[in-house]
Amino acid sequence: MKLAVVGATGLVGSEILEVLDEHNFPFDELLLVASERSVGKQIEYKGKQYTVIGLAEAVSLKPEIAIFSAGGGTSLEWAPKFAEVGTIVVDNSSAWRMDPSKKLVVPEINAKELTSEDKIIANPNCSTIQMVLALEPLRQRYGIKRIVVSTYQSVTGTGKAAVDQMMAERAGEAPEMVYPHKIDMNVLPHIDVFQPNGYTKEEMKMINETKKIFSDDSIQVTATTVRIPTMGGHSEAVNVEFKEDFDLDEVRKLLSETPGIIVQDDPANFVYPMPIHAHKKDEVFVGRLRRDESQANTLNMWIVADNLRKGAATNAVQIAEYLKEHSLV
C-alpha cells in the first residue's frame, strides 16, 4: 500500500497525518506531496523524516490512494492525472462534490455506494458532514421535510492565515488581512463568496450537498453560515421538521446508539457541546435537544465537531479505511 497525502504542509494535511497515526492506518510507503514552493521541505512523521515531493513526481509513483487537501484548482487539475494511473483520490476540496459522476461520501451514511470504479471520491463540506451525520439516524426513523441551519464556524476553516489574523488582532498587532473585516471580537455573516441569489457559496454547499448525500431532493434546506473568532470546531443550530412526530427520549437513544456521535444533553448541569471540548476529537457532539413548540414534528438541536477532524481529515481517512476493508483498493 502506497499512500499519498497531497497538501501535506497545510492545516488539514497535518491533521490527516495525525489521524492516520491515531487510526493506525496500514501503509508500506508514505508520499508527502505539496506545491512547488514546498518541495524539498522536511516533515517528521512517526519518528521518520520525509522529504516533500511535487505533484508530477507523486503521479509517477502511482500510489494506491491519494488523500487530497490542496484546494479546488489543484484538485481539478491533478486528481484526474492520479486517477488515470489507477490511484483512488479522496478529495477534500469542493471541486468534485456536485459532479453527478462522483460520489459524495460520509462513510457512516453512504460508503456502501462506493465501487472499485470510483477513482475520485469527494469529501463533503465540513459543516455539512457534522450535520448530516447527526441527522441520519433521525431521518431513517422519522423522515425529514425541512432543515434550517445556522452555523458558528471556527477560523480554522479558512486556514492558517486566518488563525494568524485573529491571533495578531488579539495581540494588538497589525495583521495580514484574510477576512474583509476584523475577526477577533467580531462575527462575520459571510463565509466564501456571495452568489447572485444573496446566499454565500458555503450556504449553497450545505443546501446542495445535504440533498446529494441523502439522495433526496425533496428535503427543503436553508442555511446561514457565520464565521466567529473561535478555534476547535464548528457549531450549528439546526431546526429540523420531520415527516412524523418524534419522542425526545427516543431521539436521544437513536443518537447515542449511532457510531461517531456523542450526546451531551444535560442543560441542568450545564452540559452541552462546545468547540473547546470537540477540539482534536473525531466524534460529532449533539445536545440542546428540544421540541420546537411553534411547529409540529420539529426538533431543535445543537451540533458541534472539530472541522479539521470529522469535518475533513477524519472523514477522508475513514473513506480510505472503507476502501481497504472492502477490497476496493
Side-chain angles (χ1 to χ4, degrees):
M1 164 62 72
K2 193 181 292 183
L3 174 69
V5 176
V6 179
T9 57
L11 268 185
V12 176
S14 300
E15 207 72 31
I16 288 168
L17 291 174
E18 282 191 34
V19 174
L20 288 168
D21 185 14
E22 290 171 17
H23 287 218
N24 292 311
F25 185 86
F27 56 81
D28 301 303
E29 190 176 344
L30 179 64
L31 309 176
L32 300 188
V33 189
S35 62
E36 287 304 314
R37 69 178 178 274
S38 295
V39 169
K41 280 187 178 178
Q42 295 290 305
I43 294 178
E44 184 177 330
Y45 178 64
K46 296 180 81 166
K48 183 179 173 183
Q49 289 290 329
Y50 289 83
T51 301
V52 174
I53 64 173
L55 285 148
E57 183 178 350
V59 170
S60 72
L61 293 170
K62 299 183 180 179
E64 277 77 25
I65 296 176
I67 302 178
F68 266 57
S69 189
T74 299
S75 182
L76 284 171
E77 180 182 356
W78 286 95
K81 294 177 182 179
F82 277 88
E84 280 170 20
V85 299
T87 301
I88 299 178
V89 173
V90 181
D91 182 49
N92 262 305
S93 80
S94 61
W96 305 100
R97 290 177 188 155
M98 296 314 297
D99 184 324
S101 69
K102 306 293 184 289
K103 307 280 174 57
L104 184 63
V105 175
V106 177
E108 297 91 338
I109 299 175
N110 60 348
K112 59 187 177 292
E113 297 173 8
L114 292 171
T115 72
S116 57
E117 303 301 308
D118 294 306
K119 294 302 183 189
I120 299 175
I121 302 165
N123 215 39
N125 178 270
C126 46
S127 309
T128 306
I129 290 174
Q130 66 187 71
M131 181 178 78
V132 296
L133 185 63
L135 289 178
E136 173 63 2
L138 308 181
R139 182 181 77 92
Q140 292 288 346
R141 174 67 180 85
Y142 309 113
I144 291 177
K145 286 178 67 175
R146 184 169 188 256
I147 302 163
V148 181
V149 54
S150 299
T151 71
Y152 307 75
Q153 294 183 222
S154 162
V155 292
T156 58
T158 310
K160 183 179 181 299
V163 176
D164 291 344
Q165 176 184 331
M166 183 180 77
M167 298 313 289
E169 289 169 347
R170 193 157 294 183
E173 300 165 0
E176 289 280 335
M177 295 294 287
V178 176
Y179 299 119
H181 304 283
K182 179 182 177 183
I183 183 62
D184 193 41
M185 303 290 286
N186 197 17
V187 168
L188 302 182
H190 170 195
I191 299 179
D192 214 322
V193 297
F194 284 99
Q195 304 295 288
N197 65 355
Y199 286 77
T200 65
K201 199 173 175 183
E202 182 85 355
E203 289 159 353
M204 295 311 299
K205 286 177 195 172
M206 292 197 75
I207 291 165
N208 295 325
E209 290 176 24
T210 298
K211 295 181 179 189
K212 182 171 179 178
I213 293 164
F214 286 154
S215 299
D216 188 349
D217 284 337
S218 73
I219 297 175
Q220 299 300 298
V221 187
T222 190
T224 302
T225 59
V226 180
R227 189 73 68 193
I228 63 172
T230 58
M231 293 165 63
H234 291 348
S235 306
E236 299 172 345
V238 176
N239 178 275
V240 54
E241 181 184 0
F242 298 114
K243 293 177 181 177
E244 299 176 14
D245 200 7
F246 59 89
D247 176 78
L248 268 176
D249 287 336
E250 185 181 43
V251 165
R252 290 188 187 93
K253 185 171 185 289
L254 288 167
L255 289 168
S256 64
E257 291 173 351
T258 300
I261 291 178
I262 294 177
V263 176
Q264 295 179 325
D265 190 40
D266 184 10
N269 290 301
F270 312 115
V271 175
Y272 32 70
M274 294 182 291
I276 199 168
H277 293 150
H279 185 51
K280 292 292 184 184
K281 306 251 184 14
D282 286 338
E283 294 83 8
V284 172
F285 299 85
V286 183
R288 296 298 320 279
L289 295 162
R290 62 210 188 276
R291 188 175 288 277
D292 180 345
E293 296 179 347
S294 73
Q295 181 167 269
N297 305 347
T298 303
L299 176 73
N300 282 309
M301 328 168 58
W302 178 250
I303 303 169
V304 178
D306 186 329
N307 53 293
L308 299 182
R309 285 284 178 132
K310 185 55 180 171
T314 301
N315 200 74
V317 170
Q318 287 174 327
I319 292 171
E321 288 172 331
Y322 183 92
L323 294 171
K324 226 179 156 336
E325 288 163 9
H326 292 79
S327 302
L328 297 175
V329 61

